[in-house]
Amino acid sequence: MERIPILRLGSHLLVTIQVDMHDRLAMALQDDLTNRIARTGARGVLIDISALEIVDSFIGRVISNISGMSRILDAHTVIVGMQPAVAITLVELGLTLPGVLTALDVDKGMNLLKGMSGGSGEGILDDSEDA
């Protein structure tokens, strides 16, 4: 089964979604990400969805669930790179994504996370083989 890679950047996790999300992949990401937060003690999660052209209500709920689970595990979630069509679709579906912070790009998202956690979040560590 394909998986979306999760990179560790200091005290933060970076997820870059480069493929079309289907329901099974979204659920696997939710499980992988919550397990990784718990294992690493990550303080923030940045999810780059710039490659996604379509987000349906299920994927929207999964993103919202990831944010909620992250908060319970003491990590903030920032979504970056949302395409205008995706934003329009989410609003039309009535999905407000409570607890999900957004930023235009990865740099702004990381700065937001750094400001929230008070740490630098620097230093790329790829421990994805532990997943």
Side-chain angles (χ1 to χ4, degrees):
M1 178 180 183
E2 72 181 313
R3 292 281 214 246
I4 295 175
I6 302 169
L7 296 175
R8 187 169 157 209
L9 295 151
S11 62
H12 303 112
L13 299 176
L14 172 65
V15 177
T16 302
I17 301 171
Q18 297 294 319
V19 296
D20 286 333
M21 290 285 285
H22 51 79
D23 293 356
R24 191 176 314 139
L25 184 59
M27 293 303 296
L29 174 61
Q30 179 177 288
D31 293 344
D32 292 347
L33 195 50
T34 53
N35 287 328
R36 183 67 65 85
I37 293 167
R39 192 171 67 245
T40 64
R43 301 302 313 261
V45 175
L46 188 137
I47 303 174
D48 180 0
I49 63 168
S50 58
L52 291 182
E53 295 180 14
I54 298 172
V55 172
D56 63 16
S57 61
F58 181 78
I59 301 299
R61 280 193 308 274
V62 168
I63 290 170
S64 183
N65 289 345
I66 286 172
S67 178
M69 292 172 196
S70 297
R71 271 315 307 139
I72 290 171
L73 296 169
D74 198 27
H76 298 282
T77 303
V78 176
I79 303 295
V80 301
M82 188 177 301
Q83 300 291 330
V86 170
I88 290 167
T89 300
L90 291 175
V91 170
E92 287 176 348
L93 291 172
L95 295 174
T96 58
L97 304 180
V100 177
L101 301 171
T102 59
L104 291 177
D105 58 37
V106 172
D107 285 337
K108 290 178 180 172
M110 285 306 292
N111 286 336
L112 184 58
L113 283 176
K114 288 175 190 176
M116 295 174 79
S117 65
S120 68
E122 294 178 5
I124 297 175
L125 302 171
D126 182 3
D127 57 355
S128 58
E129 65 274 359
D130 295 334

